[in-house]
Amino acid sequence: MAYWLYKSEPFKWSWAMQKDAGDQGTEWTGVRNYLARNNMRTMQIGDKGFFYHSNEGLEIVGITEVCALSHPDSTAEGDARWDCVDIRAVCDLPKPVSLKDIKANPKFEKMALVTSMRLSVQPVTEDEYLDICRLGGLDNPPL
């Protein structure tokens, strides 16, 4: 099992929209960064991830799950370089965890969200996942 963080601007694709997509989930399209694409290529069915509102909110608001392996991005207009995975919403974080709170906590000083701010799809360690879930009010997070 691996853990991830997906960044989305809420005016383009919000957590509410992700939840509305239901159990079938949606493609995580539009990623045009090689490292983020490579991260998606390593994902497995069932991997969990955080849904992060970027630009507005700047907080982790929910937990997702990979529901389809890496495949060609339908928005890439035939450009075979770009892949995506499908993700579905699993649950809300009862208390969203802000970037400010993450940066203020020494436990997260090496977290990709702090060190690689611009990367749209990034790895999260198991300890980071569990600690952020606790901060967000999930004592028994989905694993």
Side-chain angles (χ1 to χ4, degrees):
M1 176 71 62
Y3 301 96
W4 307 95
L5 183 140
Y6 305 87
K7 290 182 173 184
S8 184
E9 297 176 12
F11 74 92
K12 290 183 181 176
W13 188 256
S14 69
W15 177 239
M17 296 163 109
Q18 185 66 50
K19 292 190 300 184
D20 288 346
D23 285 340
Q24 75 275 6
T26 57
E27 290 184 320
W28 196 255
T29 60
V31 174
R32 300 296 181 265
N33 172 285
Y34 287 106
L35 182 53
R37 179 213 55 196
N38 292 346
N39 285 338
M40 288 192 290
R41 285 181 173 177
T42 68
M43 292 178 184
Q44 298 298 312
I45 300 291
D47 281 0
K48 301 297 185 282
F50 290 128
F51 194 102
Y52 177 82
H53 277 165
S54 63
N55 293 336
E56 296 171 38
L58 300 178
E59 59 191 3
I60 296 171
V61 295
I63 295 179
T64 63
E65 177 178 70
V66 174
C67 59
L69 296 175
S70 179
H71 57 85
D73 183 330
S74 65
T75 68
E77 299 177 2
D79 187 339
R81 293 177 297 168
W82 305 115
D83 291 358
C84 65
V85 293
D86 292 15
I87 63 171
R88 66 175 151 237
V90 175
C91 66
D92 296 331
L93 277 184
K95 178 187 167 208
V97 179
S98 72
L99 177 61
K100 182 180 176 183
D101 290 340
I102 291 168
K103 285 183 167 184
N105 189 326
K107 284 184 178 181
F108 303 120
E109 67 186 4
K110 294 183 181 177
M111 186 175 183
L113 184 60
V114 174
T115 64
S116 302
M117 287 289 301
R118 299 193 50 80
L119 189 60
S120 63
V121 178
Q122 48 189 249
V124 173
T125 68
E126 183 175 13
D127 286 342
E128 292 165 348
Y129 177 79
L130 295 172
D131 287 338
I132 287 175
C133 285
R134 281 196 274 296
L135 287 174
L138 282 179
D139 292 329
N140 295 305
L143 300 175

